[in-house]
Amino acid sequence: MTAARLTLPSPAKLNLMLHILGRREDGYHELQTLFQFVDYGDEITFAVRDDGVIQLHTEFAGVPHDSNLIVRAAKMLQQQSGCTLGIDIWIDKVLPMGGGIGGGSSNAATTLLGLNHLWQLGWDEDRLAALGLTLGADVPVFVRGHAAFAEGVGEKLTPVNPEEPWYLVLVPQVSVSTAEIFSDPLLTRNTPPIKVRPVPEGNSRNDCLPVVARRYPEVRNALDLLGKFTEAKLTGTGSCVFGGFPSKAEADKVSALLTETLTGFVAKGSNVSMLHRKLQSLL
């Protein structure tokens, strides 16, 4: 029998580039982006219960229990698998909400993979990723756990292996509304698609950056400060800003200078998520 209690990491992701090709008839935007994980994230603990109840014990300000992506993921998996077991869930939350580093999507994916393991459902990655897509466009990349070039709304994934530098990620104390950015009339929506993988140098921009920087001075400030030391980029629609460094020592040095006034963290880029490395060790 599988251990009835399990703690798993729920890592952050970065968008190394983000191009917006156009708006679709359904209102979503056609994208091309490059996802990479970092070895930094939340930790979620699961304990199986036999009464079918799904209970998240950690409260999220402003998010009702049943609206939380963790609970929604657990309930959907329970319903679609016909599983009669339940789960108690606790989360040690370090990833900011509205930061563009995939916190909620990552939590949902860790929940799907964790419960598939604990409930012994035997679902494969394709099936879990398809279920994850109904919860959010970024959930499948976390379910699959490998750096990927993504197309469509972000769900068509091609595994890639970009460099794995050390990153300094700055976290401006502002939550950026993705919907607001994607509805901005000044957003670039006509970037020509690229076919080369992995994405070549010179194609590493984020089409959302000019809009976000204009609307959010806190993000603009972080980009300016980090930009003095390395190429500063926006992940997703932000608010988090990041830059790559060849060594931890160099990232730590710049972090020490900038985190006196800004919140941030240093983490290693990783093409295989730490969640999947942990799951592999359980097999």
Side-chain angles (χ1 to χ4, degrees):
M1 174 69 189
T2 313
R5 192 181 183 94
L6 180 64
T7 297
L8 291 173
S10 183
K13 60 82 178 165
L14 297 174
N15 296 86
L16 303 188
M17 48 75 71
L18 175 58
H19 295 175
I20 301 169
L21 314 186
R23 197 200 297 250
R24 308 191 324 181
E25 285 183 6
D26 61 9
Y28 285 98
H29 285 76
E30 199 73 30
L31 310 173
Q32 287 187 322
T33 189
L34 182 59
F35 290 113
Q36 187 178 46
F37 304 100
V38 291
D39 286 349
Y40 180 86
D42 302 331
E43 270 200 340
I44 308 181
T45 298
F46 304 95
V48 174
R49 46 194 294 169
D50 57 14
D51 60 2
V53 172
I54 289 166
Q55 182 67 47
L56 173 63
H57 294 274
T58 311
E59 290 187 14
F60 286 69
V63 183
H65 179 273
D66 287 1
S67 301
N68 193 296
L69 270 178
I70 294 169
V71 176
R72 289 173 56 204
K75 287 188 171 178
M76 283 182 71
L77 186 61
Q78 185 188 52
Q79 286 161 4
Q80 298 208 10
S81 66
C83 183
T84 57
L85 296 171
I87 202 79
D88 285 309
I89 308 171
W90 298 264
I91 180 165
D92 181 10
K93 190 81 187 153
V94 299
L95 298 179
M97 294 169 76
I101 53 179
S105 298
S106 180
N107 293 168
T110 294
T111 300
L112 292 175
L113 288 161
L115 298 189
N116 183 54
H117 181 82
L118 283 170
W119 288 345
Q120 297 185 320
L121 302 178
W123 280 33
D124 65 17
E125 220 169 69
D126 290 346
R127 201 170 171 193
L128 289 167
L131 179 62
L133 183 59
T134 67
L135 293 161
D138 286 354
V139 179
V141 74
F142 286 106
V143 168
R144 295 189 183 279
H146 199 284
F149 183 63
E151 299 175 274
V153 294
E155 85 289 5
K156 297 174 191 161
L157 301 170
T158 305
V160 290
N161 290 292
E163 298 275 312
E164 297 175 315
W166 283 88
Y167 291 110
L168 169 56
V169 181
L170 298 177
V171 187
Q173 298 303 293
V174 59
S175 180
V176 174
S177 162
T178 300
E180 185 185 291
I181 300 308
F182 274 111
S183 60
D184 191 298
L186 296 180
L187 181 69
T188 298
R189 296 187 175 84
N190 59 353
T191 295
I194 54 175
K195 292 194 167 61
V196 189
R197 306 188 319 264
V199 176
E201 288 304 312
N203 276 312
S204 64
R205 74 178 187 282
N206 180 337
D207 284 338
C208 298
L209 189 150
V211 172
V212 176
R214 194 184 76 251
R215 284 172 168 264
Y216 294 90
E218 301 92 338
V219 176
R220 189 167 65 242
N221 179 50
L223 286 163
D224 289 346
L225 289 171
L226 185 57
K228 293 184 169 80
F229 303 94
T230 184
E231 185 186 358
K233 298 180 178 184
L234 183 75
T235 175
T237 54
S239 60
C240 290
V241 166
F242 69 97
F245 294 86
S247 69
K248 183 176 189 296
E250 288 178 66
D252 282 339
K253 191 170 144 189
V254 176
S255 175
L257 293 169
L258 298 185
T259 53
E260 287 179 8
T261 54
L262 281 161
T263 307
F265 60 88
V266 169
K268 182 83 167 69
S270 180
N271 292 334
V272 177
S273 88
M274 59 182 185
L275 168 61
H276 284 69
R277 302 201 302 269
K278 175 72 183 275
L279 287 169
Q280 278 301 117
S281 74
L282 299 174
L283 297 178

